[in-house]
């Protein structure tokens, strides 16, 4: 039985990695959404080995960029990929304020606005 895709942000450590591993072991197709995909490939390969699931892929997603969220979701919408799990696990904690290219404070964009837009855009696939 096809379980659909599980999309996980922040799958690189702690709780995100545990969730990714658990869903991979249950047979889900996994999309690891990463700000820096190059760093994620080693972890992806390790998760494939330890979970026994080779249907894990890495796709770029920068939650501090609304254009990146639009690109990420547009590709999935074009492909008609069924999404059965969306784990918005990515987040940052900073002590200094920085603005994104969209004019938002970085913490607000990565922790709230980006995940909200990601979720809203993927609703048709859920």
């Amino acid at each position: 039985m096809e379980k659909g895709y599980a999309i996980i942000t922040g799958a690189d450590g702690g709780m995100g990695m545990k969730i990714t591993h658990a869903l991979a072991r249950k047979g889900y197709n996994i999309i690891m959404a990463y700000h820096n995909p190059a760093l994620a490939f080693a972890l992806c390969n390790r998760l494939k080995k330890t979970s026994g699931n080779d249907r894990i892929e890495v796709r770029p997603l920068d939650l501090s960029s609304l254009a990146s969220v639009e690109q990420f979701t547009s590709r999935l919408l074009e492909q008609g990929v069924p999404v059965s799990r969306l784990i918005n696990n990515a987040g940052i904690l900073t002590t200094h304020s920085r603005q994104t290219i969209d004019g938002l404070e970085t913490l607000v964009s990565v922790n709230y606005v980006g995940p909200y837009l990601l979720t809203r855009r993927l609703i048709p696939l859920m």
Side-chain angles (χ1 to χ4, degrees):
M1 177 171 98
E2 181 67 34
K3 294 185 181 213
Y5 278 79
I7 299 171
I8 302 133
T9 66
D12 60 334
M15 186 170 60
M17 191 165 47
K18 297 268 187 205
I19 291 167
T20 303
H21 188 260
L23 291 174
R25 288 189 63 193
K26 290 192 178 282
Y28 286 90
N29 297 303
I30 305 286
I31 297 173
M32 298 169 67
Y34 267 84
H35 175 253
N36 187 345
L39 298 175
F41 287 116
L43 175 60
C44 178
N45 288 332
R46 187 172 47 170
L47 285 169
K48 285 179 180 180
K49 288 178 187 170
T50 61
S51 70
N53 182 344
D54 64 347
R55 295 179 320 256
I56 304 172
E57 63 181 284
V58 176
R59 293 193 188 186
L61 174 64
D62 179 358
L63 291 171
S64 71
S65 165
L66 300 181
S68 177
V69 176
E70 291 283 340
Q71 266 185 327
F72 181 87
T73 56
S74 290
R75 182 175 172 204
L76 291 168
L77 288 162
E78 286 172 11
Q79 294 172 329
V81 171
V83 176
S84 58
R85 301 285 183 275
L86 174 60
I87 312 296
N88 284 313
N89 182 64
I92 61 168
L93 180 60
T94 62
T95 56
H96 60 283
S97 182
R98 268 191 345 226
Q99 239 184 15
T100 67
I101 195 162
D102 301 305
L104 300 167
E105 200 284 320
T106 303
L107 186 136
V108 171
S109 183
V110 172
N111 293 352
Y112 303 102
V113 178
Y116 172 79
L117 180 60
L118 177 68
T119 302
R120 289 288 300 181
R121 296 261 305 150
L122 292 178
I123 287 174
L125 299 174
M126 294 183 194

